Amino acid sequence: MVLRLPGRGVGRRRILGLALGASAVPVLATVAARATPAAAPLPPAALGRRVAEVAAAQIGVPYAWGGGDRLGAGIGFCDEENGYLDGRCLGEHTVGFDCSGLSLYSWYRASGGAVDLAHYTVAQYHRSEPVARADLLPGDLLFFSRADAPLHHVGVHAGDGAMIHAERTGTLVTRLPGVFENPRWAAEFAGARRPLPLG
């Protein structure tokens, strides 16, 4: 069967999500039926370490604009300006993560679904509490802003001043050491936040 997808962007993503979600329903129902009662929530430091571990496990996965969700890496898309490399739309042909897709997946997976972030950097910023640099824990989210692109990027703090992030089309998820000493990222740093559980 050939699935013809209308248009580009979010419409395509929704159809793909529905198709993939429909195939996952029997599996998810089986898992839910076998689930044990929920364990006590992890302390922030332990949860944050788990988030950083999940993010680190994605190192080497390609960047895909719009890619990634609760289930992991996903196909991206191209819009008017994003998803392209050298004039070619790579987003529609790449399974991977964009920056907010990586952070939402890492937090959702590490928290067992207790932290469910939107796939949008600005929404993730507002769904979390501020953290001073002196109080950073692995797993905290690092946000970046420019005058022409407010809150344009998010990465997962990996500890020791490092960040795991999906930067742009044509790159892979990577660990960037010394993010606060890096000329570009230090200049664009807009603050750190710690996501809040549902409730």
Side-chain angles (χ1 to χ4, degrees), residues 5 12-13 16-17 20 64-69 72-77 90-97 119:
L5 302 175
R12 285 180 67 120
R13 183 182 170 89
L16 285 169
L20 292 171
W65 172 258
D69 59 20
I75 192 148
F77 62 89
L90 293 188
E92 293 180 351
H93 309 286
T94 305
V95 173
F97 290 102
H119 194 159

Side-chain angles (χ1 to χ4, degrees), residues 98-105 107 116-129 141-143 151 153-156 193-196:
D98 66 6
C99 65
S100 57
L102 176 65
S103 55
L104 84 83
Y105 172 71
W107 269 93
D116 191 7
L117 298 170
H119 194 159
Y120 179 47
T121 301
V122 174
Q124 292 183 6
Y125 182 88
H126 291 297
R127 173 82 198 306
S128 51
E129 61 186 5
L141 298 181
L142 307 179
F143 291 89
L151 293 177
H153 190 65
V154 59
V156 177
R193 314 279 289 191
R194 188 169 297 149
L196 301 168

Side-chain angles (χ1 to χ4, degrees), residues 106-192:
S106 299
W107 269 93
Y108 187 84
R109 177 85 177 182
S111 71
V115 177
D116 191 7
L117 298 170
H119 194 159
Y120 179 47
T121 301
V122 174
Q124 292 183 6
Y125 182 88
H126 291 297
R127 173 82 198 306
S128 51
E129 61 186 5
V131 178
R133 268 185 57 181
D135 299 325
L136 275 174
L137 295 173
D140 288 340
L141 298 181
L142 307 179
F143 291 89
F144 301 88
S145 190
R146 296 190 310 259
D148 66 323
L151 293 177
H152 69 88
H153 190 65
V154 59
V156 177
H157 184 242
D160 299 322
M163 171 175 74
I164 299 167
H165 70 143
E167 185 177 351
R168 68 181 184 283
T169 302
T171 67
L172 305 175
V173 174
T174 190
R175 182 181 190 277
L176 175 67
V179 66
F180 299 114
E181 288 77 43
N182 181 286
R184 178 200 172 170
W185 297 110
E188 296 182 11
F189 182 62

Side-chain angles (χ1 to χ4, degrees), residues 33-59:
R34 286 190 239 148
T36 57
L42 290 172
L47 176 56
R49 279 192 302 275
R50 190 177 285 181
V51 171
E53 289 167 3
V54 172
Q58 310 317 306
I59 290 173

